[in-house]
Amino acid sequence: MTLTFSVAVAGFLLGASLIIAIGAQNAFILRLGLARQHVFVCCLICALSDALLIVAGVAGLGTLISGNALLLGAAKWGGIAFLTAYALFAFRRAWKPAALDPEKAAPDVGTLRVAVATCLALTFLNPHVYLDTVILLGSISTRYEADLRPVFAAGAVLASFTWFFALGYGARLLQPLFAKPSSWRVLDVIIGCIMLAIAYSLLVAH
């Protein structure tokens, strides 16, 4: 495995771990997929929005932090703390798993304009989106050399595109799986382990 490929995989895994969680945005995309309405447009909006924020975080915050030793140290330990806390939350969700119910978690599907407005609101009015993409991914990217940060960002962006389009177009196949709390238990355990592994890699990195 080359260094470039491993960095891309790290970005993909971290991006996927942050995206795949029960929430209104995922429920809305799932519902659109079940209704077969506005799927492509809304999946594209979610993926492009994530891409915009990821690139902004890696390019802007990553460059800013990497040029300051104090900020770099703060980003490292802040990232370790955030990832560890995120892992613990994932393990707690796994202890008492829920299920994804698109009928309850998302508003009614309407016209394309309404669907797009709802999609944008669920994306940009959610503070966790900024914490996950701009802050966390931007901070984690500073562990890599400047020429590898775009590769890391590309991996995270690919995870967003893969997830949203798989969720939207695979909704009818995925609904039975997501309706089972046991499926989310397994998924949250995997997410928690990935987060702890990344936190450990930050801890031992020079």
Side-chain angles (χ1 to χ4, degrees):
M1 181 183 297
T2 66
L3 178 60
T4 299
F5 182 73
S6 64
V7 170
V9 170
F12 184 92
L13 290 177
L14 181 55
S17 299
L18 294 170
I19 296 167
I20 302 172
I22 293 177
Q25 186 187 49
N26 283 336
F28 184 65
I29 294 298
L30 179 62
R31 184 166 186 171
L32 290 176
L34 292 173
R36 297 182 180 179
Q37 291 182 305
H38 322 309
V39 177
F40 179 81
V41 172
C42 288
C43 287
L44 186 62
I45 287 173
C46 287
L48 287 176
S49 298
D50 265 9
L52 176 64
L53 294 171
I54 290 169
V55 170
V58 173
L61 187 63
T63 301
L64 174 64
I65 291 175
S66 63
N68 187 300
L70 183 61
L71 289 178
L72 189 61
K76 173 181 178 178
W77 291 106
I80 291 172
F82 187 93
L83 289 166
T84 302
Y86 204 106
L88 294 177
F89 284 130
F91 291 138
R92 187 177 69 176
R93 290 196 305 267
W95 183 258
K96 294 183 178 180
L100 187 57
D101 185 352
E103 294 299 325
K104 294 181 180 179
D108 291 334
V109 178
T111 64
L112 176 60
R113 180 178 296 181
V114 172
V116 168
T118 302
C119 191
L120 290 172
L122 292 175
T123 300
F124 290 103
L125 296 182
N126 180 4
H128 290 290
V129 170
Y130 300 96
L131 289 174
D132 292 347
T133 55
V134 178
I135 304 300
L136 181 59
L137 287 171
S139 299
I140 299 298
S141 70
T142 60
R143 63 174 292 198
Y144 302 110
E145 297 295 331
D147 60 331
L148 288 175
R149 288 176 202 153
V151 177
F152 178 80
V157 168
L158 179 60
S160 291
F161 275 85
T162 302
W163 170 252
F164 286 119
F165 279 95
L167 183 62
Y169 284 100
R172 292 181 179 273
L173 298 175
L174 296 173
Q175 186 188 22
L177 178 66
F178 289 158
K180 298 177 181 178
S182 59
S183 299
W184 287 99
R185 171 177 282 129
V186 172
L187 187 59
D188 277 324
V189 168
I190 293 173
I191 289 173
C193 290
I194 290 174
M195 292 299 184
L196 287 181
I198 296 173
Y200 177 75
S201 71
L202 283 179
L203 181 64
V204 299
H206 298 291

